[in-house]
């Protein structure tokens, strides 16, 4: 039988927060003489396969959105609606970021071939190509001094992540560098460069983005996420129209990005095998989906306070 406290709290939730918000069973605190109910949302997401014209709803459980405190004399102190909405949006972004992480991890080998990515981290590409050439075992301090002003900063980053080692007169390749080179033996220098770039993006993308402020590449990762994130929720690859992907990109990332530029981004992703097309609709890569699918379970079903 529902208690009067539960009814009071639920009426407040319905009147002040809307249908998407619910309250957990309230807990009574004897010493303080009040009840507290935590607020959460089983947030609906409409998922659509544009080719098959199928639509269905998936729910994300978003927790720690706020609380309602009910005193013994029926006075209510609750999280303001604006603050609750801000927290709800934060939890949605948190899910989106987790989805993006596994998209990047699963597609890094393909994304590494993009010219835009290599241009963004050009000093790394220059150094790796140089040391991968035959009979070149060191980049000297004198050579570094003649390069662009930021080159030393990038080289120091490569030392920090153990891809290069310091010598008395410069820098040389590390055992990790040699190991990655062995993994692409007989495939040529450029495939090795791609392999190193993919390794860095899988493991140090946030560092590259925050420390070196590499932004240009993000559009490609965001566009790929706009395709794969709904597929992650659906549990299968979906057929998506260009308009659907553009609408989601505008919603998540940029309302001003043009359809002309976005179409070019999708074509480049197709050229590198990140996306494919089926009957005029955008579709995923079987190889990438095969890597991605086992990682879906790493996204928790309940999204609570942000990690870290």
């Amino acid at each position: 039988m529902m208690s009067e406290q539960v009814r009071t709290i639920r009426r407040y939730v319905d009147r002040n927060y809307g249908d998407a918000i619910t309250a957990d069973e309230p807990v009574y605190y004897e010493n303080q003489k009040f009840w507290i109910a935590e607020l959460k949302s089983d947030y609906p997401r409409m998922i659509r396969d544009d080719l098959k014209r199928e639509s269905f709803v998936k729910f994300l459980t978003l927790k720690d959105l706020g609380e309602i405190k009910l005193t013994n004399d029926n006075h209510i102190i609750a999280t303001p609606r604006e603050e609750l909405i801000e927290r709800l949006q934060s939890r949605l972004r948190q899910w989106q970021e987790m989805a993006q992480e596994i998209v990047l991890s699963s597609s890094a080998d393909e994304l590494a071939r993009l010219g835009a990515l290599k241009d963004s981290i050009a000093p790394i590409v220059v150094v790796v190509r140089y040391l991968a050439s035959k009979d070149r075992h060191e980049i000297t301090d004198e050579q570094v001094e003649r390069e662009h002003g930021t080159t030393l900063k990038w080289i120091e980053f490569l030392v920090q992540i153990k891809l290069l080692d310091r010598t008395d007169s410069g820098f040389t390749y590390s055992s990790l560098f040699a190991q990655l080179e062995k993994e692409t033996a007989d495939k040529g220098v450029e495939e090795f460069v791609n392999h190193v770039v993919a390794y860095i993006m899988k493991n140090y993308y946030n560092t590259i983005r925050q420390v070196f402020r590499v932004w240009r590449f993000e559009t490609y990762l965001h566009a790929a996420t706009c395709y794969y994130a709904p597929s992650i929720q659906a549990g299968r690859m979906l057929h998506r129209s260009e308009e659907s992907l553009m609408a989601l990109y505008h919603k998540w990332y940029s309302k001003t990005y043009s359809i002309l530029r976005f179409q070019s981004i999708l074509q480049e992703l197709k050229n590198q095998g990140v996306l494919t097309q089926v009957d005029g609709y955008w579709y995923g890569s079987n190889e990438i989906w095969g890597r991605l699918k086992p990682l879906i379970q790493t996204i928790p079903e309940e999204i609570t306070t942000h990690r870290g």
Side-chain angles (χ1 to χ4, degrees):
M1 186 174 184
M2 188 184 300
S3 69
E4 183 59 33
Q5 290 80 12
V6 171
R7 282 194 291 268
T8 300
I9 288 171
R10 288 187 178 176
R11 281 198 300 268
Y12 185 91
V13 169
D14 291 342
R15 291 170 183 170
N16 292 274
Y17 299 125
D19 295 340
I21 305 300
T22 58
D24 283 338
E25 194 74 18
V27 175
Y28 187 65
Y29 292 82
E30 180 68 38
N31 292 339
Q32 292 85 4
K33 306 300 182 185
F34 55 64
W35 301 79
I36 288 185
E38 299 291 331
L39 297 171
K40 66 178 183 179
S41 175
D42 290 318
Y43 192 84
R45 279 267 178 88
M46 180 65 71
I47 310 296
R48 179 174 173 81
D49 188 298
D50 294 321
L51 173 62
K52 298 179 180 179
R53 298 185 179 179
E54 295 175 347
S55 296
F56 48 96
V57 177
K58 290 286 185 176
F59 292 90
L60 289 175
T61 298
L62 311 173
K63 304 194 75 174
D64 294 333
L65 299 179
E67 64 180 23
I68 294 178
K69 183 188 295 184
L70 175 66
T71 65
N72 279 356
D73 59 358
N74 276 345
H75 178 65
I76 287 180
I77 303 169
T79 300
R81 187 173 187 275
E82 295 75 14
E83 185 176 333
L84 181 142
I85 291 172
E86 185 178 329
R87 291 181 183 178
L88 185 146
Q89 291 173 341
S90 174
R91 301 295 180 270
L92 290 173
R93 286 193 299 269
Q94 189 177 339
W95 184 90
Q96 179 185 322
E97 288 167 2
M98 288 188 284
Q100 180 175 289
E101 285 178 9
I102 68 173
V103 170
L104 175 58
S105 176
S106 303
S107 60
D109 291 338
E110 287 77 11
L111 292 171
R113 300 188 182 100
L114 288 167
L117 175 53
K118 290 180 182 175
D119 289 344
S120 298
I121 58 172
I124 287 179
V125 173
V126 168
V127 168
V128 171
R129 280 186 183 142
Y130 183 87
L131 288 176
S133 300
K134 291 183 179 180
D135 302 323
R136 289 178 178 169
H137 305 294
E138 184 183 48
I139 296 176
T140 66
D141 290 327
E142 184 179 347
Q143 287 174 310
V144 174
E145 288 174 6
R146 291 199 296 263
E147 291 297 318
H148 189 272
T150 62
T151 299
L152 179 58
K153 188 176 181 181
W154 286 96
I155 289 176
E156 289 173 343
F157 166 71
L158 293 177
V159 172
Q160 288 174 1
I161 66 174
K162 304 188 185 308
L163 272 169
L164 295 183
D165 287 333
R166 194 69 167 96
T167 67
D168 291 338
S169 55
F171 304 88
T172 190
Y173 52 82
S174 67
S175 58
L176 175 59
F177 187 105
Q179 176 189 324
L180 293 174
E181 195 170 27
K182 183 181 290 186
E183 291 171 5
T184 55
D186 303 322
K187 292 185 179 180
V189 171
E190 204 57 32
E191 276 304 306
F192 169 59
V193 170
N194 292 340
H195 192 48
V196 172
V197 170
Y199 171 83
I200 291 172
M201 298 312 291
K202 285 178 185 177
N203 295 284
Y204 301 101
Y205 171 70
N206 285 332
T207 302
I208 290 287
R209 181 180 177 277
Q210 294 167 13
V211 175
F212 295 98
R213 300 194 178 281
V214 171
W215 310 111
R216 185 182 169 199
F217 163 69
E218 281 199 320
T219 305
Y220 296 88
L221 177 57
H222 291 170
T225 302
C226 284
Y227 173 79
Y228 283 104
S231 295
I232 287 170
Q233 282 193 281
R236 63 179 174 86
M237 289 195 290
L238 301 168
H239 303 82
R240 304 301 305 277
S241 70
E242 197 166 280
E243 293 73 20
S244 293
L245 294 177
M246 183 85 251
L248 188 56
Y249 187 91
H250 282 167
K251 180 179 179 181
W252 281 2
Y253 300 112
S254 170
K255 293 181 179 180
T256 61
Y257 208 77
S258 75
I259 187 65
L260 291 177
R261 286 186 291 167
F262 191 70
Q263 185 181 62
S264 177
I265 294 294
L266 293 176
Q267 286 295 332
E268 289 192 62
L269 291 175
K270 178 183 176 182
N271 292 343
Q272 302 306 332
V274 178
L275 297 177
T276 61
Q277 283 186 298
V278 175
D279 295 332
Y281 291 86
W282 289 98
Y283 197 67
S285 154
N286 288 325
E287 290 77 11
I288 290 175
W289 185 251
R291 300 176 210 141
L292 185 153
K293 195 173 180 180
L295 300 178
I296 294 176
Q297 61 187 355
T298 65
I299 302 181
E301 293 182 3
E302 293 186 353
I303 309 299
T304 183
T305 305
H306 198 287
R307 295 167 296 168

